[in-house]
Amino acid sequence: MSVNILAIESSCDETACAIIQDGRKELVNIIASQAELFSKYGGVVPEIASRKHVELIIPVINEAITKANCNIDAIAVTKGPGLVGALLVGIQAAKGLAYALKKPLIGVNHLHGHIAANFIGNKTIKPPFICLLVSGGHSHVLHVLDYNTIITLGRTRDDAAGEAFDKIARAIGLGYPGGPKVDEMAKKGNPLAINFPRSKFKDNPYDFSFSGLKTSVLNFVNQRVQKNESIVVEDVCASFQKAVSDVLIKNTLLAAKTTNLDTIVLAGGVAANTYLRSEMNKACEKEGLNVHYPPIKYCTDNAAMIGSFAYYQYINSDFSDMSLNAQPSLKL
Ligand code: KG4
Ligand code: ZN
């Protein structure tokens, strides 16, 4: 008997609902993005995001249920990390559905969801593997031993990789969200044009830092502007993107080597980055490692990934009760 899980995601600026079968098959995946709304503010405004979620959540759930037209075995929802007001909208909707339909409720860690994005539509990939999880709020090198045992080997000591993309994009006038815009610009630029700094930590070789890199890019741009010199935005984007990707790839490959694992998976919004994907491919091919990354639509926030991970909680009877609450700072 297959298990259909209806999953809700509302941790930031995407209101999303999906129905996933047995953790791997997408029956329906609806995403209402607020990104365009926030482009005029240059970033997410939490209070506006919460209000937008309230408007969108019922239509999005209705659309998913109507399109899939199937039985539902459990209701899953992102419990954190994320914006508290945004998370609460999804959680209250999930509780209401679980109560009315008399189905189990499953609270899912958003970061587990990002990792599980790799499982959708893929029957073969399973732990153990090394996961590079890079999003707007997190940058982690993870040793995924099995579905429920995940060791954090390295993490960012300051800004997340996606945050650095967004801040650079804003500074050079590309708007929000910055990652996809820098990615596009960089395609026309020279990654070797400017040698931006790469972080390195002696006490933990898997850790990252992107704040110094961000400052260095901003100084480069400001100095040129003050001297009335022109900048080649494409080169700035390509060189910045290379500096980020170099450390992400180096630390992830080191993790695979020291844990003796031959599979690397990418996850999170930054895993959508064209340059990172292609350079990671090249590096893994050279080292004889397997690399997987989710289709772009599963890299950035979505509910399908929440439904996928929820399945592994379902088979372990890892359910939540009606006291489930938002956990804005939830860790792995
Ligand atoms: O996973 P996600 O949707 O949300 C969080 O959980 O944070 O990640 C969003 C982040 C943003 O910082 C966005 O700029 C970045 O992912 N991003 C990208 C690309 N697409 C999205 N960064 C680099 N290149 C991309 N193509
Ligand atoms: Zn996310």
Side-chain angles (χ1 to χ4, degrees):
M1 266 281 281
S2 43
V3 176
N4 296 338
I5 298 185
L6 182 146
I8 297 170
E9 153 64 37
S10 68
S11 65
C12 191
D13 59 346
E14 261 91 32
T15 318
C17 181
I19 302 176
I20 299 295
Q21 189 166 80
D22 296 335
R24 301 266 168 172
K25 186 173 172 195
E26 176 193 302
L27 301 184
V28 67
N29 183 28
I30 311 292
I31 305 177
S33 176
Q34 306 171 15
E36 214 178 298
L37 169 69
F38 292 120
S39 64
K40 68 169 180 264
Y41 300 106
V44 179
V45 183
E47 183 55 30
I48 299 178
S50 311
R51 285 163 193 260
K52 220 47 200 160
H53 283 307
V54 172
E55 266 173 47
L56 293 168
I57 193 89
I58 300 296
V60 163
I61 294 171
N62 268 339
E63 191 180 340
I65 291 176
T66 311
K67 279 202 175 136
N69 191 24
C70 63
N71 65 304
I72 305 288
D73 298 292
I75 309 294
V77 64
T78 303
K79 62 181 175 185
L83 303 169
V84 64
L87 287 164
L88 280 171
V89 178
I91 291 172
Q92 295 310 332
K95 281 187 190 174
L97 273 178
Y99 184 75
L101 300 173
K102 299 189 172 55
K103 299 291 175 191
L105 177 67
I106 306 173
V108 178
N109 184 322
H110 181 81
L111 304 175
H112 286 156
H114 272 304
I115 301 168
N118 283 280
F119 305 148
I120 310 162
N122 185 321
K123 288 201 177 112
T124 52
I125 178 156
K126 50 178 192 287
F129 50 70
I130 293 293
C131 175
L132 173 67
L133 169 48
V134 269
S135 69
H138 298 85
S139 299
H140 287 309
V141 178
L142 304 169
H143 182 178
V144 182
L145 285 146
D146 65 44
Y147 295 101
N148 294 304
T149 318
I150 299 168
I151 298 169
T152 302
L153 298 175
R155 56 159 59 88
T156 180
R157 297 203 177 182
D158 39 56
D159 291 353
E163 197 179 346
F165 270 94
D166 293 337
K167 285 178 178 167
I168 297 296
R170 195 180 316 152
I172 55 181
L174 296 180
Y176 171 87
K181 293 184 170 136
V182 171
D183 192 347
E184 261 327 288
M185 270 296 163
K187 285 180 187 155
K188 292 168 262 161
N190 174 10
L192 301 173
I194 311 146
N195 188 18
F196 290 125
R198 274 82 167 146
S199 62
K200 202 172 169 183
F201 294 100
K202 276 210 177 98
D203 55 336
N204 186 346
Y206 310 112
D207 273 0
F208 310 111
S209 158
F210 297 110
S211 156
L213 166 63
K214 176 196 68 193
T215 309
S216 168
V217 177
L218 297 184
N219 286 345
F220 176 88
V221 173
N222 291 339
Q223 279 162 13
R224 295 294 180 291
V225 171
Q226 274 165 11
K227 288 187 205 155
N228 246 341
E229 290 173 10
S230 62
I231 53 162
V232 183
V233 173
E234 291 83 353
D235 285 351
V236 173
C237 289
S239 302
F240 158 73
Q241 195 173 259
K242 178 170 167 50
V244 174
S245 302
D246 281 355
V247 282
L248 294 178
I249 294 168
K250 185 167 150 265
N251 297 8
T252 308
L253 261 62
L254 177 67
K257 197 172 170 190
T258 41
T259 53
N260 219 5
L261 288 169
D262 65 358
T263 302
I264 285 174
V265 314
L266 304 188
V270 181
N273 187 264
T274 327
Y275 183 82
L276 174 64
R277 288 162 90 104
S278 88
E279 291 301 301
M280 185 65 99
N281 257 346
K282 285 186 214 160
C284 287
E285 200 178 319
K286 208 168 142 203
E287 298 296 324
L289 300 168
N290 306 309
V291 62
H292 294 266
Y293 28 72
I296 305 276
K297 66 173 176 173
Y298 298 137
C299 287
T300 45
D301 290 349
N302 65 88
M305 66 186 199
I306 302 301
S308 173
F309 195 83
Y311 172 73
Y312 297 96
Q313 292 185 227
Y314 182 94
I315 55 182
N316 280 331
S317 302
D318 179 6
F319 300 125
S320 303
D321 60 26
M322 286 295 155
S323 66
L324 181 69
N325 204 352
Q327 296 171 54
S329 308
L330 185 64
K331 304 271 180 292
L332 265 173

